[in-house]
């Protein structure tokens, strides 16, 4: 195995993206201004000033905002609050593997709906609702993990209309939405149908995953139910992290941070698209306009498991594509996170991947 191993696996922010000095200043201010509040047990719904900021930004009532230790924990709480073991949940196929795990661990039956380059296939969604009668539909409408796709505006409206007609709750996970590098935003689900979709997000991709600050916007009755379970689970969230994030936002640091992140990540997106065009033209992929991921479908006849097994020989580590598919499939799928690698590393990684694919084809 080569010494210069490239891990083309986890979608983590680049280390150089972290605003360390700014966070040191925000931490000092937060402790100076709110120290006894942040260091004490606190009501489980989250730091009130931060909830107020998030509610104001969304023109929503503060009662609709809940903050916890990352959005995946909120999803776990939400699942326990709204669903019972044996209920059916629909997800995009592919979707975030941790979401599938969260639902299954709670005893849910998880069914996938095919994902196209511009979002979920609406006719397939209609059929899946008719057949499975799901209680909940989970989507990542912007720069989807793992595919990189963004749901077209008319598909968003059609999805919400179907969900309303059949009484299906919609959960929209939107952590990547602020990270658009090219093109124009599609309308958010809350803009299309205010109050219909439950929204989840976090500051993991914008500030730091180590802060563990995620949030939910949902009807007050759902927030009440989630908060009751949270209080019985961990008593109080990570208040110091929430106080630091509050200062970061209140001091107006986010707009400049977003511009810096876009300037850092946009060239990496262009680099992976250029490298794939040059080195793997027989593969297929979505052209993301933002976010952290690109989903690659290997050429016909090339098995992803064989590619993954052979990749370390070229100094490359790949994730298991089948884990992103709730009910089978994905044998030719590879998630390629481009966010934490430099442009040179990306080009090198794609070159290595292309060599592996060629070798698997030859050995076929």
């Amino acid at each position: 195995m080569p010494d210069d191993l490239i891990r083309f696996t986890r979608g983590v922010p680049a280390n150089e993206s972290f605003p360390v000095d700014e966070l040191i200043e925000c931490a000092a201010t937060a402790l100076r201004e709110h120290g006894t509040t942040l260091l004490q047990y606190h009501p489980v719904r989250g730091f009130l000033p931060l909830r107020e900021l998030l509610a104001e930004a969304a023109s929503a009532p503060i009662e609709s905002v809940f903050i916890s230790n990352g959005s995946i924990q909120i999803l776990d709480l939400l699942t326990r609050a709204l669903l019972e073991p044996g209920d059916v949940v629909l997800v995009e196929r592919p979707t975030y593997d941790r979401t599938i795990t969260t639902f299954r661990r709670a005893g849910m039956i998880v069914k996938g709906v095919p994902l196209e380059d511009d979002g979920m296939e609406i006719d397939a969604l209609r059929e899946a609702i008719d057949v499975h009668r799901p209680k909940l539909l989970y989507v990542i409408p912007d720069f989807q993990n793992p595919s990189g796709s963004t749901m077209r505006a008319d598909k968003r409206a059609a999805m919400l209309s179907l969900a309303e007609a059949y009484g299906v709750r919609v959960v929209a996970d939107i952590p990547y939405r602020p990270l658009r590098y090219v093109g124009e935003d599609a309308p958010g689900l809350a803009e299309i149908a205010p109050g219909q979709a439950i929204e989840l997000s976090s500051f993991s991709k914008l500030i730091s995953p180590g802060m563990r600050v995620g949030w939910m916007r949902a009807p007050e009755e759902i927030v009440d139910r989630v908060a009751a379970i949270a209080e019985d689970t961990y008593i109080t969230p990570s208040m110091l992290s929430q106080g630091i994030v509050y200062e970061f936002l209140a001091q107006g640091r986010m707009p400049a941070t977003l511009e810096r992140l876009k300037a850092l990540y946009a060239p990496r997106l262009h680099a992976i698209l250029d490298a794939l065009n040059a080195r793997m033209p027989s593969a297929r992929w979505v052209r993301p306009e933002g976010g952290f991921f690109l989903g690659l479908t290997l050429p016909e006849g090339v098995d992803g498991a064989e590619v993954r097994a052979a990749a370390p020989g070229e100094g490359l580590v790949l994730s298991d594509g089948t884990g992103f598919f709730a009910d089978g499939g994905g044998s030719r799928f590879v998630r390629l996170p481009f966010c934490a690698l430099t442009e040179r590393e990306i080009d090198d990684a794609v070159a290595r991947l292309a060599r592996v694919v060629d070798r698997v084809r030859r050995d076929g």
Side-chain angles (χ1 to χ4, degrees):
M1 182 182 295
D3 294 332
D4 57 336
L5 191 68
I6 299 178
R7 297 188 179 277
F8 226 166
T9 51
R10 295 188 63 204
V12 299
N15 286 343
E16 60 269 31
S17 74
F18 300 139
V20 176
D21 291 337
E22 292 179 84
L23 290 174
I24 290 171
E25 295 175 17
C26 290
T29 302
L31 285 168
R32 187 165 51 247
E33 299 294 331
H34 309 282
T36 56
T37 298
L38 299 176
L39 296 175
Q40 185 55 274
Y41 287 105
H42 190 277
V44 77
R45 294 165 194 262
F47 187 44
L48 181 60
L50 180 55
R51 290 177 65 215
E52 289 173 338
L53 275 184
L54 294 175
E56 181 182 358
S59 300
I62 189 172
E63 294 80 12
S64 70
V65 176
F66 176 84
I67 307 173
S68 187
N69 306 319
S71 60
I72 196 68
Q73 181 166 60
I74 299 177
L75 181 66
D76 179 66
L77 297 169
L78 186 65
T79 299
R80 287 188 274 162
L82 298 183
L83 304 173
E84 297 290 339
D87 285 344
V88 175
V89 176
L90 297 183
V91 299
E92 295 156 314
R93 187 168 68 231
T95 192
Y96 182 33
D97 53 350
R98 297 288 177 89
T99 296
I100 297 172
T101 299
T102 298
F103 288 138
R104 284 181 174 160
R105 186 174 55 210
M108 306 304 131
I109 299 169
V110 188
K111 296 293 183 179
V113 178
L115 189 66
E116 300 175 307
D117 289 0
D118 57 2
M120 186 178 283
E121 186 181 322
I122 298 300
D123 287 342
L125 172 61
R126 182 181 293 106
E127 181 180 354
I129 292 175
D130 278 336
V131 171
H132 300 296
R133 298 294 169 174
K135 295 289 184 67
L136 187 142
L137 168 62
Y138 170 90
V139 295
I140 308 172
D142 300 284
F143 321 127
Q144 199 249 13
N145 178 6
S147 72
S149 67
T150 293
M151 190 180 295
R152 208 172 62 218
D154 61 327
K155 284 192 170 187
R156 295 175 187 231
M159 177 192 70
L160 289 169
S161 179
L162 271 175
E164 183 176 31
Y166 284 87
V168 181
R169 294 192 187 275
V170 177
V171 174
D173 205 353
I174 56 172
Y176 309 102
R177 183 170 171 82
L179 296 176
R180 172 172 285 279
Y181 315 134
V182 296
E184 300 294 329
D185 281 334
L189 301 191
E191 299 172 52
I192 298 172
Q196 185 181 347
I198 298 168
E199 291 187 327
L200 301 180
S201 191
S202 80
F203 293 95
S204 293
K205 308 303 185 292
L206 307 181
I207 299 177
S208 154
M211 301 292 288
R212 306 313 303 141
V213 178
W215 56 264
M216 173 180 74
R217 190 162 66 245
E220 182 179 356
E221 180 267 337
I222 292 177
V223 171
D224 289 343
R225 292 163 66 179
V226 168
I229 297 173
E231 188 169 21
D232 289 341
T233 302
Y234 53 74
I235 305 176
T236 191
S238 175
M239 293 306 303
L240 181 55
S241 292
Q242 292 187 23
I244 295 170
V245 170
Y246 165 73
E247 287 297 334
F248 196 90
L249 299 181
Q251 294 174 21
R253 298 176 184 266
M254 185 56 77
T257 295
L258 285 176
E259 292 307 309
R260 184 169 54 80
L261 291 176
K262 292 176 184 180
L264 176 66
Y265 293 138
R268 300 180 181 193
L269 172 58
H270 295 316
I272 195 169
L273 291 172
D274 289 345
L276 289 170
N277 283 328
R279 302 178 187 277
M280 298 190 67
S282 60
R284 183 171 56 82
W285 59 89
V286 173
R287 293 185 63 87
E289 296 181 328
F292 274 25
F293 304 101
L294 181 149
L296 181 76
T297 301
L298 296 168
E300 287 283 350
V302 177
D303 182 73
E306 294 180 20
V307 170
R308 193 170 68 254
E314 286 286 348
L316 190 65
V317 179
L318 302 171
S319 58
D320 182 357
T322 61
F324 301 104
F325 290 74
D327 43 12
S331 63
R332 291 165 47 218
F333 183 84
V334 181
R335 185 182 74 168
L336 302 180
F338 57 83
C339 43
L341 302 176
T342 67
E343 290 96 304
R344 178 175 294 180
E345 288 171 330
I346 288 168
D347 186 69
D348 192 4
V350 173
R352 297 181 189 196
L353 178 59
R355 290 198 294 270
V356 173
V357 169
D358 285 345
R359 184 186 312 148
V360 169
R361 272 175 148 171
R362 287 196 307 270
D363 295 345

